[in-house]
mmCIF file of all heavy atoms in Angstrom:
data_model
loop_
_atom_site.group_PDB
_atom_site.id
_atom_site.type_symbol
_atom_site.label_atom_id
_atom_site.label_comp_id
_atom_site.label_asym_id
_atom_site.label_seq_id
_atom_site.Cartn_x
_atom_site.Cartn_y
_atom_site.Cartn_z
ATOM 1 N N ARG A 26 228.432 51.001 143.106
ATOM 2 C CA ARG A 26 229.581 50.375 142.503
ATOM 3 C C ARG A 26 229.891 49.114 143.321
ATOM 4 O O ARG A 26 230.281 49.214 144.481
ATOM 5 C CB ARG A 26 230.796 51.315 142.468
ATOM 6 C CG ARG A 26 230.494 52.664 141.841
ATOM 7 C CD ARG A 26 231.718 53.583 141.846
ATOM 8 N NE ARG A 26 231.352 54.905 141.364
ATOM 9 C CZ ARG A 26 232.240 55.798 140.921
ATOM 10 N NH1 ARG A 26 233.535 55.512 140.874
ATOM 11 N NH2 ARG A 26 231.857 56.998 140.494
ATOM 12 N N ALA A 91 219.489 55.743 121.257
ATOM 13 C CA ALA A 91 218.110 56.208 120.984
ATOM 14 C C ALA A 91 217.960 56.884 119.635
ATOM 15 O O ALA A 91 216.850 57.268 119.264
ATOM 16 C CB ALA A 91 217.669 57.179 122.074
ATOM 17 N N ASP A 95 221.191 52.906 110.011
ATOM 18 C CA ASP A 95 221.924 51.657 109.791
ATOM 19 C C ASP A 95 222.354 51.443 108.342
ATOM 20 O O ASP A 95 222.664 50.329 107.951
ATOM 21 C CB ASP A 95 221.067 50.451 110.228
ATOM 22 C CG ASP A 95 221.273 50.113 111.684
ATOM 23 O OD1 ASP A 95 221.769 50.978 112.433
ATOM 24 O OD2 ASP A 95 220.942 48.984 112.091
ATOM 25 N N ILE A 101 231.471 56.076 105.305
ATOM 26 C CA ILE A 101 232.335 56.652 106.332
ATOM 27 C C ILE A 101 233.500 57.400 105.620
ATOM 28 O O ILE A 101 234.128 56.849 104.723
ATOM 29 C CB ILE A 101 232.902 55.541 107.251
ATOM 30 C CG1 ILE A 101 231.787 55.015 108.162
ATOM 31 C CG2 ILE A 101 234.074 56.077 108.062
ATOM 32 C CD1 ILE A 101 232.249 53.862 109.059
ATOM 33 N N HIS A 115 226.057 64.774 98.849
ATOM 34 C CA HIS A 115 227.304 64.254 98.304
ATOM 35 C C HIS A 115 227.695 62.889 98.895
ATOM 36 O O HIS A 115 228.640 62.258 98.397
ATOM 37 C CB HIS A 115 228.440 65.262 98.568
ATOM 38 C CG HIS A 115 228.197 66.564 97.881
ATOM 39 N ND1 HIS A 115 228.747 67.766 98.333
ATOM 40 C CD2 HIS A 115 227.465 66.860 96.791
ATOM 41 C CE1 HIS A 115 228.350 68.746 97.541
ATOM 42 N NE2 HIS A 115 227.576 68.232 96.593
ATOM 43 N N ASN A 129 220.425 45.724 90.391
ATOM 44 C CA ASN A 129 220.472 44.415 89.710
ATOM 45 C C ASN A 129 221.900 43.869 89.709
ATOM 46 O O ASN A 129 222.113 42.667 89.958
ATOM 47 C CB ASN A 129 219.934 44.519 88.299
ATOM 48 C CG ASN A 129 218.425 44.759 88.298
ATOM 49 O OD1 ASN A 129 217.738 44.477 89.259
ATOM 50 N ND2 ASN A 129 217.922 45.318 87.196
ATOM 51 N N HIS A 162 216.511 55.267 112.771
ATOM 52 C CA HIS A 162 215.690 56.158 111.956
ATOM 53 C C HIS A 162 215.871 55.732 110.522
ATOM 54 O O HIS A 162 216.893 56.047 109.881
ATOM 55 C CB HIS A 162 216.109 57.614 112.191
ATOM 56 C CG HIS A 162 215.032 58.559 111.869
ATOM 57 N ND1 HIS A 162 215.161 59.917 112.118
ATOM 58 C CD2 HIS A 162 213.809 58.405 111.351
ATOM 59 C CE1 HIS A 162 214.038 60.532 111.754
ATOM 60 N NE2 HIS A 162 213.215 59.635 111.269
ATOM 61 N N ALA A 191 209.239 59.177 106.276
ATOM 62 C CA ALA A 191 208.198 59.728 105.389
ATOM 63 C C ALA A 191 208.571 61.158 105.016
ATOM 64 O O ALA A 191 209.158 61.854 105.804
ATOM 65 C CB ALA A 191 206.865 59.689 106.101
ATOM 66 N N ASP A 193 206.752 64.450 102.303
ATOM 67 C CA ASP A 193 205.782 64.802 101.295
ATOM 68 C C ASP A 193 206.033 66.196 100.673
ATOM 69 O O ASP A 193 205.165 66.710 99.953
ATOM 70 C CB ASP A 193 204.350 64.696 101.839
ATOM 71 C CG ASP A 193 204.021 65.771 102.869
ATOM 72 O OD1 ASP A 193 204.957 66.445 103.392
ATOM 73 O OD2 ASP A 193 202.812 65.971 103.150
ATOM 74 N N TYR A 196 211.715 67.657 98.973
ATOM 75 C CA TYR A 196 212.663 66.561 98.994
ATOM 76 C C TYR A 196 212.707 65.879 97.636
ATOM 77 O O TYR A 196 212.014 66.300 96.689
ATOM 78 C CB TYR A 196 212.275 65.538 100.095
ATOM 79 C CG TYR A 196 213.477 65.000 100.832
ATOM 80 C CD1 TYR A 196 214.032 65.696 101.876
ATOM 81 C CD2 TYR A 196 214.060 63.793 100.468
ATOM 82 C CE1 TYR A 196 215.155 65.218 102.585
ATOM 83 C CE2 TYR A 196 215.180 63.310 101.130
ATOM 84 C CZ TYR A 196 215.725 64.029 102.177
ATOM 85 O OH TYR A 196 216.834 63.548 102.843
ATOM 86 N N LYS A 242 200.215 65.194 110.973
ATOM 87 C CA LYS A 242 199.014 64.913 111.777
ATOM 88 C C LYS A 242 198.544 63.475 111.605
ATOM 89 O O LYS A 242 198.137 62.802 112.547
ATOM 90 C CB LYS A 242 197.891 65.902 111.405
ATOM 91 C CG LYS A 242 198.072 67.283 112.002
ATOM 92 C CD LYS A 242 196.799 68.111 111.824
ATOM 93 C CE LYS A 242 196.997 69.189 110.811
ATOM 94 N NZ LYS A 242 195.813 70.056 110.644
ATOM 95 N N ILE A 255 206.789 58.230 118.356
ATOM 96 C CA ILE A 255 207.046 58.760 117.050
ATOM 97 C C ILE A 255 208.357 59.543 117.106
ATOM 98 O O ILE A 255 208.670 60.165 118.131
ATOM 99 C CB ILE A 255 205.866 59.650 116.559
ATOM 100 C CG1 ILE A 255 206.021 59.970 115.060
ATOM 101 C CG2 ILE A 255 205.754 60.933 117.374
ATOM 102 C CD1 ILE A 255 204.738 60.525 114.425
ATOM 103 N N ARG A 267 216.991 78.292 109.863
ATOM 104 C CA ARG A 267 216.705 79.681 109.547
ATOM 105 C C ARG A 267 215.809 79.785 108.325
ATOM 106 O O ARG A 267 214.857 80.554 108.295
ATOM 107 C CB ARG A 267 218.037 80.414 109.277
ATOM 108 C CG ARG A 267 217.910 81.928 109.097
ATOM 109 C CD ARG A 267 219.273 82.560 108.790
ATOM 110 N NE ARG A 267 220.277 82.153 109.724
ATOM 111 C CZ ARG A 267 221.317 81.383 109.431
ATOM 112 N NH1 ARG A 267 221.500 80.966 108.185
ATOM 113 N NH2 ARG A 267 222.216 81.064 110.341
ATOM 114 N N TYR A 273 208.195 79.599 106.504
ATOM 115 C CA TYR A 273 206.927 79.194 107.079
ATOM 116 C C TYR A 273 206.455 80.090 108.250
ATOM 117 O O TYR A 273 205.361 79.939 108.752
ATOM 118 C CB TYR A 273 206.991 77.764 107.543
ATOM 119 C CG TYR A 273 207.178 76.784 106.392
ATOM 120 C CD1 TYR A 273 208.419 76.163 106.173
ATOM 121 C CD2 TYR A 273 206.170 76.538 105.462
ATOM 122 C CE1 TYR A 273 208.608 75.288 105.118
ATOM 123 C CE2 TYR A 273 206.342 75.669 104.397
ATOM 124 C CZ TYR A 273 207.579 75.065 104.237
ATOM 125 O OH TYR A 273 207.761 74.197 103.171
ATOM 126 N N ILE A 306 208.260 75.284 124.995
ATOM 127 C CA ILE A 306 207.314 74.359 124.378
ATOM 128 C C ILE A 306 207.749 72.904 124.638
ATOM 129 O O ILE A 306 206.957 72.038 125.016
ATOM 130 C CB ILE A 306 207.186 74.611 122.865
ATOM 131 C CG1 ILE A 306 206.493 75.946 122.611
ATOM 132 C CG2 ILE A 306 206.444 73.456 122.166
ATOM 133 C CD1 ILE A 306 206.529 76.384 121.173
ATOM 134 N N ILE A 314 214.468 64.602 123.890
ATOM 135 C CA ILE A 314 215.522 65.010 122.956
ATOM 136 C C ILE A 314 216.679 64.001 122.992
ATOM 137 O O ILE A 314 217.150 63.626 124.079
ATOM 138 C CB ILE A 314 216.086 66.397 123.333
ATOM 139 C CG1 ILE A 314 214.929 67.450 123.413
ATOM 140 C CG2 ILE A 314 217.152 66.838 122.310
ATOM 141 C CD1 ILE A 314 214.159 67.653 122.151
ATOM 142 N N PRO A 340 213.758 66.234 129.036
ATOM 143 C CA PRO A 340 214.532 64.987 129.057
ATOM 144 C C PRO A 340 215.502 64.925 127.875
ATOM 145 O O PRO A 340 215.129 65.125 126.728
ATOM 146 C CB PRO A 340 213.445 63.904 128.927
ATOM 147 C CG PRO A 340 212.142 64.576 129.210
ATOM 148 C CD PRO A 340 212.328 66.008 128.820
ATOM 149 N N SER A 400 219.425 48.700 132.768
ATOM 150 C CA SER A 400 219.935 48.537 134.119
ATOM 151 C C SER A 400 219.957 47.039 134.452
ATOM 152 O O SER A 400 219.351 46.248 133.763
ATOM 153 C CB SER A 400 219.034 49.296 135.123
ATOM 154 O OG SER A 400 217.717 48.775 135.105
ATOM 155 N N SER A 435 238.524 55.471 128.565
ATOM 156 C CA SER A 435 238.266 54.365 127.649
ATOM 157 C C SER A 435 238.397 54.777 126.188
ATOM 158 O O SER A 435 238.238 55.966 125.852
ATOM 159 C CB SER A 435 236.856 53.808 127.875
ATOM 160 O OG SER A 435 235.870 54.725 127.414
ATOM 161 N N ASN A 438 236.481 50.479 122.766
ATOM 162 C CA ASN A 438 236.590 49.127 122.194
ATOM 163 C C ASN A 438 237.104 48.122 123.251
ATOM 164 O O ASN A 438 237.626 47.075 122.870
ATOM 165 C CB ASN A 438 237.515 49.152 120.986
ATOM 166 C CG ASN A 438 238.928 49.641 121.293
ATOM 167 O OD1 ASN A 438 239.190 50.053 122.409
ATOM 168 N ND2 ASN A 438 239.796 49.612 120.299
ATOM 169 N N LEU A 471 231.432 46.587 98.471
ATOM 170 C CA LEU A 471 230.366 47.545 98.180
ATOM 171 C C LEU A 471 230.911 48.959 98.148
ATOM 172 O O LEU A 471 230.574 49.786 97.260
ATOM 173 C CB LEU A 471 229.267 47.419 99.234
ATOM 174 C CG LEU A 471 227.952 48.154 98.970
ATOM 175 C CD1 LEU A 471 227.253 47.608 97.716
ATOM 176 C CD2 LEU A 471 227.019 48.028 100.172
ATOM 177 N N HIS A 491 218.664 74.682 100.567
ATOM 178 C CA HIS A 491 220.066 74.916 100.203
ATOM 179 C C HIS A 491 220.273 76.430 100.208
ATOM 180 O O HIS A 491 220.288 77.056 99.157
ATOM 181 C CB HIS A 491 220.391 74.319 98.838
ATOM 182 C CG HIS A 491 220.441 72.823 98.835
ATOM 183 N ND1 HIS A 491 221.546 72.094 99.130
ATOM 184 C CD2 HIS A 491 219.439 71.907 98.618
ATOM 185 C CE1 HIS A 491 221.294 70.812 99.055
ATOM 186 N NE2 HIS A 491 220.028 70.669 98.747
#
Side-chain angles (χ1 to χ4, degrees):
R26 308 179 186 200
D95 271 19
I101 288 176
H115 298 155
N129 291 338
H162 204 174
D193 70 344
Y196 220 83
K242 283 192 251 183
I255 192 165
R267 187 182 310 112
Y273 296 107
I306 291 170
I314 306 300
S400 61
S435 71
N438 59 357
L471 191 63
H491 289 273

